[in-house]
Amino acid sequence: MHVLRPITANDFDALKQIAIESGHGFTSLPVDDQLLQEKIARAENSFSKEINQPHDESYLFVLEDSETGDVVGTTAIEAAVGLNVPLYHYHLGKTVHHSRTLNVYNTVDILSMCNDYTGCSEICTLFLREASRQGLVGRFLSRSRFLFMAQHSERFADTIIAEMRGVSDEDGHSPFWQWLEEHFFSIEFPQADHLVGLGDKVFISELMPKYPIYANLLSKKAQAVIGKVHEKTKPALKLLEKEGFEHRGYVDLFDAGPTVEAKLGNIRSVRESLVCPISIGELDYVDEQSSDTLAVCNQGVRDFRATFTKHAHYNHAKHTLIVSQDVAQALKLKQGDAARFFRL
């Protein structure tokens, strides 16, 4: 069984290994002991807070294999981004150059730097280790965040965003950044990427061009990757699109990867999730091939637990979720407690 839970200080070694494995472009997990420890401490503090509106909380989760005790993945939610450290994006818009005299009409794409997503909640830091990328594990890791958000909606903003990793090669070089580097910066993409991961974004406001950039002035390679995702990120983007996330023209400053957004109440997993009392008991029969797989969580914050299983069945007539003893134990639930679930 795979169980999602809040991170603790004991998970430092596992988190560092995940940071190493995640590679270039994964700015939310820099390979830096102090910063990783600070991320864990900040998350522990966030899960402990009694709040009724989002501020600067960070909810970092780990996915644990209950049989081995190994941490196989991680995912996180930032409650409100851009409040302490500015969050920059480019917005891809259009401008028209029209001359009636010359009978010329040209529409040109432009990139304008902005802070439009300030105060929004962000889902981030999604990484599943290679050996666990099978079955429904990846889908659960992505969608499990929505169980927590649905259960504790007061902790999050109305608009949820996700920054998707843009195109870069195996050495971490981005075609989009190469153009910016040539004209405005003197540092390579991995270094800029690392600085952002460390939280050092002062150089952005100091060196980034202040005026809109005409996209047709970029190199052909840079133009080709605007709004495109890294090959390894395509499955994650498809999952979010199924949840109702849309790209509305916002892209990352460094690799031009798309940022997608959705209203919290419109996210499919949030909208379709149900809360009901549980009844603990073995199911009469479980068909591993055809039975529904449910993603289930308890209602805790600091003690939040979520898993996915075929050993849970929703009784419509009694509005009760029947779960096995193993599932109840993994989720720290007892007879009569309430749980939230959706079909995975």
Side-chain angles (χ1 to χ4, degrees), residues 280-335:
I280 301 173
E282 296 306 315
L283 279 65
D284 294 335
Y285 173 71
V286 176
D287 186 334
E288 293 293 339
Q289 298 300 316
S290 62
S291 295
D292 284 335
T293 299
L294 301 184
V296 189
C297 75
N298 63 21
Q299 294 186 301
V301 178
R302 188 188 305 184
D303 295 325
F304 180 80
R305 296 291 186 277
T307 191
F308 64 101
T309 180
K310 289 183 178 292
H311 295 267
H313 172 71
Y314 178 54
N315 186 318
H316 288 265
K318 295 183 178 180
H319 185 54
T320 300
L321 185 69
I322 304 167
V323 299
S324 69
Q325 182 64 49
D326 287 345
V327 171
Q329 186 174 341
L331 297 180
K332 296 189 171 184
L333 291 170
K334 60 183 185 297
Q335 188 75 21

Side-chain angles (χ1 to χ4, degrees), residues 159-178:
T159 299
I160 314 301
I161 66 170
E163 294 183 314
M164 312 306 293
R165 184 176 177 180
V167 176
S168 61
D169 63 22
E170 55 191 27
D171 295 319
H173 295 110
S174 157
F176 186 77
W177 176 262
Q178 285 175 342

Side-chain angles (χ1 to χ4, degrees), residues 117-137:
Y117 282 131
T118 298
C120 295
S121 296
E122 179 186 7
I123 53 174
C124 54
T125 322
L126 179 69
F127 188 80
L128 184 61
R129 302 178 77 171
E130 194 90 37
S132 298
R133 294 175 190 173
Q134 57 209 0
L136 294 173
V137 184

Side-chain angles (χ1 to χ4, degrees), residues 70-143:
D70 292 338
V71 169
V72 299
T74 183
T75 190
I77 315 166
E78 293 288 330
V81 292
L83 299 185
N84 292 331
V85 179
L87 179 70
Y88 296 101
H89 284 91
Y90 273 131
H91 185 256
L92 187 63
K94 293 184 183 296
T95 187
V96 173
H97 295 269
H98 178 216
S99 171
R100 182 171 294 181
T101 304
L102 299 177
N103 194 30
V104 172
Y105 186 97
N106 289 323
T107 301
V108 183
D109 290 334
I110 59 170
L111 292 165
S112 304
M113 196 165 74
C114 66
N115 306 104
D116 290 358
Y117 282 131
T118 298
C120 295
S121 296
E122 179 186 7
I123 53 174
C124 54
T125 322
L126 179 69
F127 188 80
L128 184 61
R129 302 178 77 171
E130 194 90 37
S132 298
R133 294 175 190 173
Q134 57 209 0
L136 294 173
V137 184
R139 184 185 300 183
F140 168 74
L141 186 58
S142 177
R143 296 182 68 188

